[in-house]
Structure formats: C-alpha cells, structure tokens
Amino acid sequence: MRRLSRKKTLNLMKELDAFPKVPESYVETSASGGTVSLIAFTTIAFLTIMEFMVYQDTWMKYEYEVDKDFTSKLRINIDITVAMRCQYVGADVLDLAETMVASADGLIYEPVPFELTPQQKELQRMLQIIQSRLQEEHSLQDVIFKSAFKSASTALPPREDNSLQSPDACRIHGHLYVNKVAGNFHITVGKAIPHPRGHAHLAALVSHESYNFSHRIDHLSFGELIPGIINPLDGTEKIASDHNQMFQYFITVVPTKLHTYKISAETHQFSVTERERVINHAAGSHGVSGIFMKYDISSLMVTVTEEHMPFWQFLVRLCGIIGGIFSTTGILHGFGRFVAEIIFCRFRLGSYKSTSVPLPDGHTSNHLPLITDNSTH
C-alpha cells in the first residue's frame, strides 16, 4: 500500500512538472542557434554585472515637512579672514528680536597674513572648482552628502612656512548661538558696543585709509558642524576696489536632517545671493562699509535619507533580465528562421523552369512535370 501511495504521489508530481525534459536525440542544433545563444549569454553577463553595480549604489531620498522647532538655538560656524588688523574690526549678530550676540561669546580674533601658502591656495582653488560644478550639476550635492563623515575635514591646512611676514589680516573663526529668527551677522570697522536702540561700532578712532574689507570665507555653515560637507560660500574670496566697499550676502537657511550609512546629524543647508557696492553718500549710495550676511530661516525642514535597493528587488530584476533575454532571443531567432525559409523557398521555386509536356490528343501542358523516384534514375 505504501509503495502504491508513493507511486501515485510520484505520478502526480510528474503531471505537475512545468519544465518537461526533451531527450537530446529529439533536439536539432544549428550554427545560427549557437550564435544566437552566444549573443544571449554575453548580453546576460553584461547586464548582470551592470545590475550588480546598480545594486551596490545608493541614492538620496528627500522628504519635506514643516519645522516645528522654534525654541532651540541656531549655531553659526564662522571662519573668515579680513584684510585688516584685528584691533580695527568687530563682528557681531543682531536678529529681528533685537537680540545682540557679541563676537566675544564664541569667536576668536587671530592675526594672520592675508596671503595664502601654496598648499592653502591649492585647496582654495579646488573648493572654487567644486562650487562652480555644484552650480551646474545639482546631483553632485548627493555625492557630497554620501561622502561626508565626521573624521573628514574641509578646513584650510595649517601654514607650513615659518616666514617672518608680519600679520596684515585678521582671521575671525569660531561659532555663535543665535535665535532661530532672521538676523544679520556683520563685520565692520570698530568693536561693537551695546546701545539702547540697537548697537553701535567704535569706528571714529580708525583711519579712513586703513579700511580694506577684502576677505576670504574659508568656511560658513549653520547647525551642527559636519566636516566633509562643502557649503555654498566655502572658498569665496572678494577683493575690495575701494576703501568704502560694502559686501552683502543674502542667505536663506533650510533646516536639514541628514541620515546616511556613515553619519546621522541635524544640520542646515542654505542658498545665497551676493551684492557689493561702494558707499558714496554724495551719489546716493548710503550705508556702512563692511561685510554683511543677512540670513533668514525657512519654515520647511528637509530630511535627506540614503537608501539602498532591497535584495529581493535585485533578485526580481535579475530574473527579469535572464528570462526576458532568453524569451526575446528565442522569438527573434524563430522569426529569423521563418523569414529565411520563405526567402530560400522562393529562390528554389524560381530555379525550376516551366516545360511543355505533349499529350496523346496533340495538346501540350505547360505545368511542371511530376518528379518521381523513377525519373531520377
């Protein structure tokens, strides 16, 4: 009984076989079929390698939502070199809430030469090339996000020369914490002092001829400092053509949450437009000489997540490639053979010429004679 039951089960499984095996003696091979098979296998191998490369790659997914965090502080990371001595310039922030944040709360004034060393010039030139490429190819930003990690660095390398060149510039670097409202970070002549109606700078003691707001922005970012991320103003250098020159940067800051396979951080992206002009009260161009960065906070928050193709999706795509190529090449090969047979068949029929066969009653027949086995002998 058990053997009978096993036989029935085995026969049932054979009936369910969706892949019937044809004996090799019944299969006819041809040179054309071998050529098509070779082309199919080569195409499958090439597309499989390409699909595996796609599977290894990742992409950035962007999601947008309203930023509901209004109480936390915004961090501004600054590294700017101004072509004036440190005792002549002052930096601070004044926001729309009329809150003044002095540079003494987190910025360092360091006397340095304004001229860069060859190694520093090379890094600055590289940053400027990247900035120009970013303006043309926005997808390059995804590459920067994926390559960023906390041990990387985009800061200028330290000076390797020990020259006796006297410092003629002031490097202002560090960070400040401000309210998450629109504000104005500026560097101008004289140190900042508090004022009941705002604030003021002690500029009366500084000679007008010593004004020089040529500057270099080595780094400017908002939020958590992530080395490896290149910001829009990194590597910017401006040379003043007049003593009374005003440089303005209008910045829109977008809160950003970055989640990659290397880091997870809360930072801020920003876009910027620039403007510069010479202060000339007689010509109607009013203002104060200096560097002004007016920033505004966007109400939208962007979440950037690095994603990877699931393994099951990779298998489905791989099966589709293999099965699709086999089916397509089989159809093309069958269609090619069908066309070839039609062409060769017509060619053979055209090789036979019509002949006249006499009939017993004196008539003739123009039909092709019947070819039999006896007629061939």
Side-chain angles (χ1 to χ4, degrees):
M1 292 295 292
R2 289 183 178 178
R3 287 185 178 179
L4 185 60
S5 177
R6 287 180 182 177
K7 273 190 174 184
K8 287 182 178 181
T9 304
L10 186 59
N11 291 332
L12 178 62
M13 296 302 294
K14 287 182 178 180
E15 292 294 331
L16 295 175
D17 188 5
F19 309 97
K21 310 300 184 292
V22 180
E24 293 185 3
S25 59
Y26 296 162
V27 178
E28 180 183 359
T29 59
S30 62
S32 61
T35 303
V36 173
S37 299
L38 184 61
I39 294 175
F41 290 142
T42 304
T43 307
I44 288 174
F46 174 73
L47 292 181
T48 299
I49 294 173
M50 296 298 294
E51 189 65 26
F52 183 73
M53 294 175 62
V54 172
Y55 171 71
Q56 285 186 317
D57 195 15
T58 59
W59 62 88
M60 308 306 293
K61 178 182 178 182
Y62 292 81
E63 297 178 329
Y64 303 89
E65 58 181 312
V66 177
D67 184 16
K68 300 178 181 179
D69 184 11
F70 304 106
T71 58
S72 63
K73 294 288 186 176
L74 175 63
R75 171 171 168 158
I76 307 179
N77 308 294
I78 301 163
D79 191 349
I80 302 175
T81 302
V82 185
M84 292 180 65
R85 297 187 181 277
C86 291
Q87 62 266 29
Y88 295 157
V89 295
D92 62 325
V93 178
L94 186 67
D95 59 27
L96 289 183
E98 297 185 354
T99 302
M100 174 182 168
V101 180
S103 60
D105 295 338
L107 296 182
I108 300 173
Y109 292 77
E110 179 184 352
V112 294
F114 188 76
E115 186 71 19
L116 295 176
T117 64
Q119 184 182 4
Q120 293 174 332
K121 286 182 179 179
E122 183 64 23
L123 179 60
Q124 186 191 30
R125 187 182 68 85
M126 181 190 69
L127 286 175
Q128 291 175 347
I129 293 175
I130 294 175
Q131 296 289 7
S132 62
R133 291 290 301 275
L134 278 171
Q135 295 176 2
E136 300 173 359
E137 303 177 17
H138 298 287
S139 59
L140 188 60
Q141 185 64 50
D142 293 351
V143 179
I144 295 176
F145 279 149
K146 289 191 286 187
S147 62
F149 55 96
K150 293 188 176 181
S151 60
S153 177
T154 53
L156 282 177
R159 302 184 68 91
E160 69 276 4
D161 60 340
N162 296 320
S163 62
L164 300 178
Q165 180 182 359
S166 60
D168 57 349
C170 183
R171 178 190 175 197
I172 305 173
H173 60 98
H175 60 272
L176 297 172
Y177 288 94
V178 298
N179 299 319
K180 289 188 69 173
V181 296
N184 181 8
F185 169 76
H186 52 271
I187 302 173
T188 188
V189 178
K191 302 299 179 182
I193 57 173
H195 192 273
R197 295 184 179 180
H199 75 295
H201 288 260
L202 291 174
L205 303 179
V206 181
S207 172
H208 215 71
E209 286 71 21
S210 62
Y211 287 16
N212 185 3
F213 284 101
S214 300
H215 62 281
R216 184 177 60 252
I217 304 176
D218 297 322
H219 180 79
L220 179 72
S221 64
F222 296 83
E224 182 180 347
L225 181 61
I226 305 178
I229 295 294
I230 299 177
N231 297 277
L233 286 175
D234 293 355
T236 300
E237 184 175 87
K238 299 289 185 180
I239 303 300
S241 58
D242 192 274
H243 293 294
N244 293 331
Q245 190 114 0
M246 172 190 282
F247 297 92
Q248 293 177 303
Y249 300 92
F250 301 93
I251 300 172
T252 302
V253 183
V254 181
T256 305
K257 290 183 179 180
L258 181 62
H259 302 287
T260 68
Y261 290 105
K262 295 180 180 179
I263 63 169
S264 180
E266 294 188 6
T267 182
H268 291 70
Q269 300 179 87
F270 65 90
S271 61
V272 59
T273 55
E274 305 174 11
R275 183 189 178 193
E276 58 182 83
R277 59 188 175 94
V278 176
I279 302 301
N280 187 347
H281 299 287
S285 177
H286 303 291
V288 179
S289 305
I291 306 165
F292 297 84
M293 298 183 178
K294 300 180 180 181
Y295 60 89
D296 194 6
I297 313 297
S298 174
S299 58
L300 290 179
M301 181 175 63
V302 181
T303 301
V304 184
T305 308
E306 186 178 8
E307 291 195 344
H308 187 272
M309 181 188 296
F311 184 69
W312 65 266
Q313 188 175 351
F314 169 70
L315 291 179
V316 170
R317 291 164 65 100
L318 196 61
C319 292
I321 289 174
I322 297 174
I325 291 178
F326 266 119
S327 302
T328 304
T329 52
I331 294 172
L332 293 177
H333 181 237
F335 180 74
R337 289 187 62 180
F338 175 73
V339 173
E341 287 178 359
I342 293 178
I343 294 174
F344 285 123
C345 184
R346 287 187 176 181
F347 178 75
R348 288 177 183 176
L349 289 175
S351 64
Y352 293 105
K353 296 182 180 179
S354 60
T355 57
S356 299
V357 181
L359 297 177
D361 56 358
H363 294 83
T364 58
S365 174
N366 293 326
H367 295 287
L368 290 175
L370 178 63
I371 301 175
T372 61
D373 292 337
N374 295 329
S375 65
T376 60
H377 297 288

